[in-house]
Amino acid sequence: MTRRQWLPALLLLLLASSCTSAQEEPAGNYVLVIHGGAGTITRNNMTADMEAAYTAALESSLKKGYAILQSGGSSLDAVEACIRMLEDDSLFNAGKGAVFTHDGSNELDASVMDGKTLAAGAVAGVRTVRNPITLARAVMEKSPHVMMAGRGAEQFAKEAGIEIVDTAYFRTEKSWKGLQRALQQDSLKALANPDTKFGTVGCVALDKQGNLAAGTSTGGMTNKKFGRIGDSPVIGAGTYANNNTVAVSGTGWGEFYIRNVVAYDLSALMEYKGLSVQEAGKTVIKKVGDLGGNGGLIALDKNGNMAMPFNTEGMYRGSATKDGRIGILIYKD
Amino acid sequence: MTRRQWLPALLLLLLASSCTSAQEEPAGNYVLVIHGGAGTITRNNMTADMEAAYTAALESSLKKGYAILQSGGSSLDAVEACIRMLEDDSLFNAGKGAVFTHDGSNELDASVMDGKTLAAGAVAGVRTVRNPITLARAVMEKSPHVMMAGRGAEQFAKEAGIEIVDTAYFRTEKSWKGLQRALQQDSLKALANPDTKFGTVGCVALDKQGNLAAGTSTGGMTNKKFGRIGDSPVIGAGTYANNNTVAVSGTGWGEFYIRNVVAYDLSALMEYKGLSVQEAGKTVIKKVGDLGGNGGLIALDKNGNMAMPFNTEGMYRGSATKDGRIGILIYKD
């Protein structure tokens, strides 16, 4: 081969390799996104103290998760750690501070999914488990099942060595007063009050190994009756993760999220229609709105691109990226 | 306009109208498909009497549903009526004849979805409701919720006037002996025995008005523990219906159906990738198999085309079409 012959071949080779790296993100990218619920969160109904408290709580959670990812930890570990912090914080409707059911109890739901293996775990209606997200992960890793509910799930928690607390642990005056207000309204009015509906926390993460994970945890709706289960513990509705596409955690009017299979629909729109995570996120939230529901979600694709769409007044949300930047937002504008 | 001028125009018009009718099925088509579970159902482990009994039960259910559709009734009514008959028949693992949990009780799950409105209802872990499919429909039509579980769901059943029975009603010797056998095995072996896993009944229907509906009902897995919930009451996993695409009811190893969001995935493959109901059905069952699970499903598209894929030895299944033909199959060949 003469110089004239191999020079174009070399150029073609270089071009081909640069095309490949342009399509794929450099390995080792890591990103974390969290939410603390969506609803009528406006500047008008927020004090400076409350805003500072929510911002500090979201920042602590993000820093915790970021440290795990930075040191090479798994996205699953980051998701669990972030959500545990939000569950332990009584500001959010998950774990301590969860809203009350009609009967005056706290019934907690959570789920988690591993994008690498499509393994998943979920619990619904547990009353004595301090960190439902940790129980959901134990269901995924230590049982042959995906979903457990009620007393049976609590029995499993005990056998798996998960921390059990007295039911009084979850009680906050804010949530108790919320129930008293709801009991005075009729149930339809209570349903129409988004503040009582959308308290949920969630996290999606991409780790250095390229693995996505998603988790969601909630106390559900204030004044909920009849063992109602929302979308948070329903894989495909409130939570979904798949290394080939995206990790998603939703926060919204659960019934609409279940009917629209929101989290998996976002993944399907990316996989089958080639939509970006932003386009797919916008589309599924629009579909929720078209059906009469509302809420938001966080989504993170396999390349670290994120989306945080919502059709409510606000959504507590934040992200941490590889460069160490932490961004926290609350309102629409 | 001369004769010469309007003749080609008329021909074009006729051609255009015939093209339209070639793409769309004539209005008023109606079809019904049911299943009674998938598993190791082979000629070797079936007696002539058992085969006749299953065939007769499936035929009765199909005739009941067909009569409803033929007289102009809704697909929802047909789905509920067909599943009620299968629930009342102790041959199937749903309603009477349901398998026993580890604790020696029967915990029933069911769900239903209306393809016209995307309304849905589901119940999990109910012990005293004779027809869980009817309760699932009541959740859909008489509550603001989609999913209810356990005692709360039973409380709702009472308030909604749904028939309550003593827990002893569900007991059959066959199911009780099944539990005793399972208790003697270790739990992993029990999980590996497909006969104990896949008892589920389901129905999908298209009515004369062009509305699709889907429903699923089950007693779950023999020896199930910890309040385990399978795919049957999970909208998107075991049940899905959408007038724009397809109605689906699954029967398989529930954990894999949840992780793969099987029922909605079938719909998404049709809507976003343009697959036929047969291609989409084959694809989602292959995905279940690729992950290590097994089972089957029934699917019916908006034009009345059906698919009944499965990767087990057999699946109790049958269909009734507008021309009055009833087809029932059990084995793979």
Side-chain angles (χ1 to χ4, degrees):
Chain A
M1 206 184 249
T2 67
R3 205 175 193 177
R4 268 205 168 149
Q5 281 174 313
W6 63 254
L7 201 67
L10 183 70
L11 283 171
L12 264 174
L13 201 73
L14 280 170
L15 190 68
S17 87
S18 89
C19 277
T20 307
S21 57
Q23 280 165 352
E24 289 172 20
E25 287 287 315
N29 190 21
Y30 52 96
V31 184
L32 185 77
V33 188
I34 64 173
H35 70 77
T40 26
I41 307 162
T42 62
R43 286 194 174 80
N44 284 340
N45 56 25
M46 182 77 80
T47 65
D49 282 354
M50 277 166 63
E51 195 177 293
Y54 277 109
T55 302
L58 293 169
E59 193 177 344
S60 297
S61 175
L62 282 165
K63 282 183 174 169
K64 177 97 177 175
Y66 178 77
I68 292 170
L69 295 178
Q70 192 183 29
S71 66
S74 75
S75 51
L76 264 179
D77 283 344
V79 163
E80 184 189 355
C82 282
I83 292 180
R84 281 178 69 100
M85 281 194 76
L86 300 171
E87 285 175 340
D88 287 347
D89 191 320
S90 63
L91 278 175
F92 302 99
N93 174 21
K96 186 170 181 64
V99 299
F100 280 89
T101 68
H102 183 75
D103 300 328
S105 63
N106 304 109
E107 290 184 359
L108 311 168
D109 303 334
S111 65
V112 68
M113 189 158 182
D114 178 352
K116 184 183 179 186
T117 59
L118 301 183
V123 292
V126 295
R127 297 182 179 202
T128 60
V129 176
R130 176 171 164 170
N131 292 108
I133 192 69
T134 297
L135 178 56
R137 186 168 177 185
V139 169
M140 175 172 84
E141 294 178 342
K142 298 175 182 173
S143 93
H145 300 313
V146 168
M147 192 172 190
M148 296 182 185
R151 302 294 161 94
E154 291 175 350
Q155 183 60 36
F156 175 76
K158 278 180 205 157
E159 295 185 18
I162 305 289
E163 186 178 353
I164 302 292
V165 290
D166 189 88
T167 54
Y169 163 80
F170 299 103
R171 183 190 168 111
T172 57
E173 276 311 294
K174 188 182 83 172
S175 293
W176 183 251
K177 282 179 185 159
L179 173 63
Q180 306 315 312
R181 274 195 308 274
L183 289 171
Q184 281 161 12
Q185 299 170 345
D186 67 48
S187 57
L188 278 181
K189 269 191 195 157
L191 263 179
N193 178 356
D195 264 348
T196 60
K197 280 199 307 278
F198 303 157
T200 300
V201 306
C203 179
V204 291
L206 173 69
D207 64 29
K208 286 183 180 175
Q209 292 74 41
N211 293 319
L212 288 167
T216 311
S217 180
T218 188
M221 292 168 46
T222 292
N223 198 23
K224 69 182 175 185
K225 286 173 80 173
F226 306 129
R228 177 256 189 188
I229 296 177
D231 63 312
S232 299
V234 176
I235 298 299
T239 303
Y240 186 74
N242 187 331
N243 274 6
N244 292 327
T245 51
V246 68
V248 185
S249 169
T251 166
W253 194 336
E255 279 70 14
F256 292 91
Y257 278 59
I258 296 176
R259 291 165 58 194
N260 274 343
V261 201
V262 167
Y264 183 69
D265 194 29
L266 201 162
S267 174
L269 284 164
M270 293 179 67
E271 184 175 357
Y272 301 148
K273 284 194 82 173
L275 264 56
S276 69
V277 65
Q278 287 86 2
E279 291 166 336
K282 214 178 279 181
T283 303
V284 299
I285 291 298
K286 186 182 180 305
K287 284 168 82 171
V288 165
D290 289 347
L291 217 57
N294 47 1
L297 62 82
I298 52 173
L300 180 62
D301 76 14
K302 60 179 176 179
N303 296 319
N305 302 303
M306 61 183 97
M308 297 183 252
F310 56 96
N311 63 2
T312 49
E313 297 291 325
M315 178 167 81
Y316 300 110
R317 60 202 188 279
S319 64
T321 41
K322 188 178 175 181
D323 54 14
R325 282 207 316 191
I326 285 186
I328 291 169
L329 290 164
I330 297 179
Y331 312 106
K332 200 185 277 177
D333 50 17
Chain B
M1 208 183 250
T2 67
R3 207 175 191 174
R4 269 202 165 151
Q5 283 174 311
W6 62 253
L7 204 65
L10 183 68
L11 284 171
L12 265 174
L13 200 73
L14 280 171
L15 191 67
S17 87
S18 90
C19 278
T20 307
S21 57
Q23 280 165 351
E24 290 172 19
E25 285 289 313
N29 189 22
Y30 51 97
V31 184
L32 186 75
V33 188
I34 63 174
H35 70 78
T40 25
I41 307 162
T42 62
R43 285 192 174 81
N44 285 342
N45 56 23
M46 182 77 81
T47 66
D49 282 355
M50 276 165 63
E51 193 177 294
Y54 277 109
T55 303
L58 293 169
E59 193 176 345
S60 297
S61 175
L62 283 166
K63 282 183 173 169
K64 177 95 176 178
Y66 179 78
I68 291 170
L69 295 178
Q70 191 183 32
S71 66
S74 74
S75 51
L76 264 180
D77 284 345
V79 163
E80 184 188 357
C82 282
I83 291 180
R84 281 179 67 100
M85 281 193 76
L86 299 172
E87 285 176 340
D88 288 346
D89 192 320
S90 64
L91 278 175
F92 302 98
N93 174 21
K96 187 173 181 62
V99 298
F100 280 88
T101 68
H102 183 75
D103 300 328
S105 64
N106 304 108
E107 292 185 358
L108 312 168
D109 303 334
S111 66
V112 68
M113 189 157 182
D114 178 353
K116 184 182 178 186
T117 60
L118 301 184
V123 292
V126 295
R127 297 182 179 202
T128 60
V129 175
R130 176 171 164 168
N131 292 107
I133 192 68
T134 296
L135 178 56
R137 186 169 176 183
V139 170
M140 175 172 83
E141 294 179 341
K142 297 175 182 173
S143 93
H145 300 312
V146 168
M147 193 170 188
M148 296 182 184
R151 302 294 161 91
E154 290 174 350
Q155 182 61 36
F156 175 76
K158 279 180 203 155
E159 293 186 19
I162 305 287
E163 186 178 354
I164 302 292
V165 290
D166 189 87
T167 53
Y169 163 80
F170 299 103
R171 182 190 167 108
T172 57
E173 276 312 293
K174 188 181 80 172
S175 293
W176 184 251
K177 282 179 186 159
L179 173 62
Q180 305 317 312
R181 273 196 307 275
L183 288 172
Q184 281 160 12
Q185 299 171 342
D186 68 50
S187 58
L188 278 181
K189 271 192 193 156
L191 263 180
N193 177 356
D195 264 349
T196 61
K197 281 198 307 278
F198 305 156
T200 299
V201 306
C203 179
V204 292
L206 172 69
D207 64 28
K208 286 183 180 176
Q209 292 74 44
N211 293 318
L212 288 168
T216 310
S217 181
T218 189
M221 290 167 50
T222 292
N223 198 24
K224 70 182 175 187
K225 285 174 80 173
F226 305 129
R228 177 257 188 188
I229 296 178
D231 64 312
S232 299
V234 176
I235 298 299
T239 302
Y240 186 74
N242 186 331
N243 274 7
N244 292 329
T245 51
V246 67
V248 184
S249 169
T251 167
W253 194 336
E255 279 71 14
F256 293 91
Y257 278 60
I258 295 176
R259 291 165 58 194
N260 274 341
V261 201
V262 167
Y264 182 70
D265 194 29
L266 201 162
S267 174
L269 284 164
M270 293 179 67
E271 185 175 356
Y272 301 148
K273 283 195 81 173
L275 264 55
S276 70
V277 65
Q278 287 87 2
E279 292 166 335
K282 213 178 283 181
T283 303
V284 298
I285 291 298
K286 186 182 178 306
K287 285 167 82 171
V288 165
D290 289 347
L291 217 56
N294 48 0
L297 61 82
I298 52 173
L300 180 63
D301 78 12
K302 60 181 177 179
N303 297 319
N305 301 303
M306 62 183 97
M308 296 183 255
F310 56 97
N311 64 0
T312 49
E313 297 291 326
M315 178 167 80
Y316 300 110
R317 60 203 190 276
S319 64
T321 40
K322 188 179 176 181
D323 55 15
R325 284 206 315 193
I326 285 186
I328 291 168
L329 289 165
I330 297 179
Y331 312 106
K332 200 185 275 178
D333 49 17

